[in-house]
Amino acid sequence: SAVLLAVLLAPASCAPPISIHKYAQIFEAKPADSHTSLQDQQIKFENDTLRIIYYFWADRGVMGFTVFNKMKRPIYVDWRSSSLILNGQKLDYWTDAEYTSTATLYKTYTYRSPLILPTSSGVSAGSSTASSTSVRPERVAFIPPQSLTQQAQFYLFPFEPYYFSPNKPAEIETTTSGGLQKFAYIHRFSQEESPLKFRNYVTYKFQEGEGAVFTLDHAFYVSSITEVDTSNPLFTSYTNTSPASHFYK
C-alpha cells in the first residue's frame, strides 16, 4: 500500500538554460498499522459496522475519505471529537465557527479545491470544501443505513519541497523515453526516519447525544521520496491513473 506526492520544481541556474525542465518529488507512504490496507487500488478499512476508503490524490495531497454505514441503523460521526494529526500537530475537523473563520484558522492547511472521492460502490461522489458564503459546518454527521458521508478538509503536504541530507545517497532508477534516458532518484525512510507521519482519528456513536463512544485511529507514514523529471514515464503513469494511494504537489 502506497501513497505518493509530487511537488513541481524548476531548477535554477546561472547560465541560460538550453531547455526548461520541471521536476517532481513523489512521496510514497504506507499504513503504519495493520488496520488499513491497499485493496483494488484503494486504501481501505472495514469492520462489521463501517467501511472507510481513503483518497489522497490532489495537489499537495488531501486527507480525503468516505465513511460508509454497513448497518441497518444510523451512525453518527462526531467531527468535533475527530482530527487529522500531521507530524503531531492536531487539525480539528470541526470548530465552533463558520466556514470562513475555520479556513482562516488553519490557513495553509485548508483544502479549497473540488475533489472526486471514490464511494464504496465504486461510483465517484463529488466533494468540495470551497465556499463563497459563510456556512456553519456540520458538527455531527448523520449517516443513514447503507449510505456514506465524506470528508476532504486538509492538505497533507502544504510545505516547501523536501531537502535531503547529502550523507544519504539516493537509489537511481533509469528508464528510456523518446530515445533519451530518464532518471529517478529514490530516497527511502524507515517509519522512525519518515519526514511525514499522519493519523486520521475519527469518533462515532450509534445514537445522537449520550451513549457509547467508538474511535478509529489510522496511521500512515512516508516511506520514500522520488525526485523525477515530469516528462519521465514514471511520473506520467501516476498522473494518468490518479490512484487513490498517491498524491502530488
Side-chain angles (χ1 to χ4, degrees), residues 53-108:
I53 298 177
Y54 288 97
Y55 190 84
F56 304 142
W57 184 265
D59 184 11
R60 288 172 276 177
V62 65
M63 174 52 80
F65 61 98
T66 60
V67 182
F68 181 79
N69 180 5
K70 297 171 59 178
M71 302 184 67
K72 295 182 179 180
R73 57 172 173 165
I75 290 176
Y76 300 84
V77 176
D78 187 352
W79 295 124
R80 182 180 64 177
S81 301
S82 303
S83 304
L84 168 63
I85 303 163
L86 286 173
N87 282 344
Q89 179 177 352
K90 179 173 70 78
L91 304 177
D92 294 327
Y93 286 124
W94 187 89
T95 57
D96 192 10
E98 293 180 341
Y99 171 76
T100 51
S101 299
T102 305
T104 300
L105 175 64
Y106 290 119
K107 296 181 181 178
T108 304

Side-chain angles (χ1 to χ4, degrees), residues 173-175 177 182-184 228-237:
E173 181 178 307
T174 306
T175 56
S177 177
K182 302 287 185 178
F183 300 95
V228 63
D229 188 323
T230 56
S231 65
N232 191 314
L234 176 65
F235 178 76
T236 305
S237 68

